[in-house]
Amino acid sequence: MRRHIIGSVVLGVTAAVFALNAWMHTFATIQDKGYQIGNVFICAVVFIVAFIDGVIEGIMRRVETRSYFMATALAAVLVAAISIVGTRYRINATKHYLAKTYATLAANGPPFPSELPDLVHGTSIDLISHGYWVAEDRKLFEVYYHDGSDSFTKVYPTGQWDWRSNKYAGPDSEHE
């Protein structure tokens, strides 16, 4: 067993580095979405190759190398899942925060504040790209967030999430 310590440590450290890198790209920007697609594709290829090699090594009764291949396949699945789950978590946390903020502002009625209220619970690291727009007369406002190349907004007084376009930052912004 001692001869496998170094290989196990290298595999564990490599998986941890890739997992951390996957977590750092869960902010749902356009670049992060591209990274996520590439990451999942690479993880799928690694999983397939490692799994097939593990099966072949198992058939050939090479238990040691089979275990490494199966561990590599498992690490690929976990790394792929981290970026997908992390992005979903951040989008859901942002939507929840903005819906709660919208409800509070709408209940108080106009005039609406010129800045988005501070986050009360949680940390801002949980939130993805989001924003707030208020009209000059402060009688209308909207909250919005970006999910890759898409933007979604909740406009007062309708209160429904609507799709906007790319790089949306309020009615006065230039966007695609």
Side-chain angles (χ1 to χ4, degrees), residues 16 38 62 88 118 144 166:
R62 295 183 185 163
R88 284 287 103 203
D118 291 333
Y144 57 88
N166 188 15

Side-chain angles (χ1 to χ4, degrees), residues 117-172:
D118 291 333
L119 181 64
V120 178
H121 299 292
T123 61
S124 61
I125 192 123
D126 292 338
L127 305 180
I128 60 170
S129 177
H130 64 284
Y132 173 73
W133 173 87
V134 65
E136 286 185 28
D137 62 2
R138 296 177 56 187
K139 294 193 185 305
L140 296 173
F141 78 95
E142 59 187 52
V143 291
Y144 57 88
Y145 71 95
H146 304 114
D147 180 4
S149 62
D150 293 322
S151 300
F152 299 89
T153 183
K154 197 175 231 194
V155 180
Y156 178 82
T158 61
Q160 294 179 321
W161 285 113
D162 294 318
W163 177 82
R164 292 294 185 244
S165 57
N166 188 15
K167 301 177 185 173
Y168 184 78
D172 300 333

